[in-house]
Amino acid sequence: MTRRLLATVAVAALTATSAFAEEVRVYNWSDYIDEELLTKFEEETGIKLIYDVFDSNEVLETKMLTGSSGYDVVVPSGTFLQRQISAGAFQPLDQSKLSNAGNMWDVIEARTDQYDSGNAHSINYMWGTTGLGVNVGKVTEILGADAPMGSLELVFNPANMEKLAECGVHFLDAPAEMIPATLQFLGEDPDSHDPEVIAKAEAVLMGVRPHITKFHSSEYINALANGDICVAFGWSGDILQARDRAAEAENGVEIAYNAPSEGALMWFDQMAIPADAPNPDAAHKFLNFIMDAQNMAAASNYVYYANGNKASQEFLVEDVIGDTAIYPDETTLENLYTTTPYPQKVQRVVTRLWTKIKSGT
């Protein structure tokens, strides 16, 4: 190869590297950040932010476990994160590049430690519960003033669901959420990995399957807000977003969120850097930006989810920090449960069961 050609190749490589170093790719849940923060990050760092979204852990996990996701920051939930760490999908965080790490909340880090030992690979972005979103007026009209709006009876009792079908019911398309909730309803361990125990969920879910309008993990937000459905089994912040959208639209739709009285799943969404991230340095800058107290507060104030950043709490609006549906009281916290990843063989059982339930056959 000639000296001139070598020089040309070197310049081209340097140019490509320079351009690439100014880009960070983030893969997050849909409807899950104040987009003004994305612009602020670009303005403060000069790094181009490419931001894509997904609406299920299963979609993200497929990308992570097949390798070469192409992303620098991704946001799996705790149980999925744990399994992906075991598979070598994430790199340890470089704490020297995270000057805002002191803002994080030790109470939440103590809980996320079970998924990521020492919180070595991730930071908490948001946390919350999974529960019941209801159109108060429609559900009261159909089931009466004593409708069990705060109980799993609302969605797992076929007699209730048959009536609610006329106004529409959405379930999360998330077996790792719905099957544990069903087991909790049955009085079983929601974190059971015993296939025989998990199988008990089938009868309950198939019993209400004819009355479920749709399985989806994001469409229920607008569907609830617009009055297109009357019940959603979904994530706390999503349902509260629906509540606020309905209030802003002044469309007469009153939405309420309840963590089930039988117990609700407490989940954690963690930001992590893939092992093969194209630009890990920029990824750390993004994480550090998110860990800034005011930036994290801006995110929570927009999406109405609790976050794992203690320092952010002084900047949260009262509608967020003062709402026990977002930051639960001690009694509710004590009634929350967490789950751990299914082993591979059990995961196959769960996947087959969920496919059967969704198809209704």
Side-chain angles (χ1 to χ4, degrees), residues 32-330:
Y32 213 28
I33 200 167
D34 182 350
E35 293 188 2
E36 290 184 6
L37 284 172
L38 307 183
T39 302
K40 182 181 179 183
F41 172 79
E42 290 185 324
E43 290 174 347
E44 289 188 0
T45 65
I47 299 171
K48 181 180 180 181
L49 176 58
I50 297 174
Y51 189 87
D52 295 329
V53 300
F54 58 90
D55 64 9
S56 81
N57 272 299
E58 289 75 15
V59 168
L60 172 59
E61 182 161 82
T62 297
K63 286 183 179 290
M64 294 307 303
L65 297 187
T66 54
S68 302
S69 71
Y71 290 102
D72 299 296
V73 176
V74 298
V75 193
S77 297
T79 53
F80 286 78
L81 172 79
Q82 183 177 357
R83 185 162 56 216
Q84 291 157 16
I85 289 173
S86 299
F90 294 109
Q91 57 182 270
L93 300 179
D94 183 345
Q95 296 297 327
S96 69
K97 296 179 179 179
L98 301 175
S99 59
N100 290 324
N103 291 336
M104 302 308 285
W105 192 4
D106 57 352
V107 171
I108 298 303
E109 288 190 323
R111 297 199 179 212
T112 57
D113 181 79
Q114 68 174 309
Y115 305 115
D116 177 15
S117 181
N119 293 282
H121 299 82
S122 66
I123 65 164
N124 180 254
Y125 177 55
M126 301 284 177
W127 61 272
T129 56
T130 306
L132 302 161
V134 297
N135 180 319
V136 177
K138 285 189 176 180
V139 172
T140 301
E141 179 184 341
I142 290 172
L143 295 182
D146 59 348
M149 297 187 199
S151 168
L152 293 172
E153 280 282 337
L154 184 72
V155 292
F156 291 145
N157 183 327
N160 290 332
M161 285 289 284
E162 184 176 6
K163 296 174 183 177
L164 292 170
E166 65 182 79
C167 59
V169 179
H170 280 196
F171 274 19
L172 286 172
D173 185 5
E177 306 261 350
M178 298 307 305
I179 290 175
T182 311
L183 295 180
Q184 183 78 0
F185 173 69
L186 291 170
E188 300 284 352
D189 178 5
D191 193 31
S192 177
H193 292 176
D194 183 342
E196 292 185 4
V197 174
I198 291 169
K200 295 180 181 181
E202 180 177 345
V204 174
L205 290 166
M206 290 300 281
V208 298
R209 175 63 187 89
H211 314 303
I212 299 171
T213 310
K214 193 170 206 176
F215 292 89
H216 203 278
S217 296
S218 61
E219 287 185 9
Y220 63 90
I221 302 175
N222 283 332
L224 267 178
N226 296 335
D228 297 331
I229 62 174
C230 60
V231 174
F233 198 105
W235 292 304
S236 52
D238 283 357
I239 292 166
L240 294 171
Q241 282 186 55
R243 178 194 67 184
D244 293 341
R245 290 179 189 180
E248 289 169 7
E250 297 182 346
N251 59 6
V253 174
E254 179 190 353
I255 303 298
Y257 172 76
N258 293 300
S261 56
E262 295 87 348
L265 174 67
M266 185 180 190
W267 51 260
F268 308 88
D269 286 339
Q270 303 288 108
M271 285 191 165
I273 303 174
D276 59 356
N279 195 346
D281 186 59
H284 280 85
K285 290 178 181 177
F286 183 79
L287 293 188
N288 201 51
F289 173 85
I290 289 295
M291 285 193 289
D292 174 86
Q294 293 190 50
N295 292 340
M296 192 67 253
S300 277
N301 289 338
Y302 182 85
V303 301
Y304 275 65
Y305 277 106
N307 69 65
N309 188 309
K310 180 67 173 178
S312 76
Q313 293 183 12
E314 67 173 292
F315 303 109
L316 295 174
V317 297
E318 182 59 28
D319 282 353
V320 172
I321 191 66
D323 190 335
T324 55
I326 302 174
Y327 282 88
D329 56 33
E330 285 299 319

